[in-house]
Amino acid sequence: MQKAEKRLLTQRGPGFSKEKPTIFKGIKHLFISFDEARDNFALKLNEGSVYKIAGSIDLHNIINTEKETTADHDGKAVVFEAKE
């Protein structure tokens, strides 16, 4: 495992949110983990394509107020490099 991959797994860091369907006052989605979904997607792309993890970049877009939150999203995006 390369240094960038290890950093991605050890740092709470961007991508897609992981949600789970639930029935609670109708059909809704239960939020699980943005970071976990992002990391899983990044590692699968890294392992199964020419796109390799080069690092991450802090987007400085975390929101955590009484009315709004980005939950466990750490404001970081995974950076990929295309390699042959």
Side-chain angles (χ1 to χ4, degrees), residues 16-20 30-37 40:
F16 309 95
S17 66
K18 180 178 178 183
E19 297 178 350
K20 183 180 189 179
L30 177 63
F31 175 80
I32 304 294
S33 173
F34 185 89
D35 290 349
E36 182 181 338
N40 287 339

Side-chain angles (χ1 to χ4, degrees), residues 14 52 62 70 80 83:
K52 304 303 175 192
I62 296 173
T70 51
F80 293 93
K83 296 191 176 190

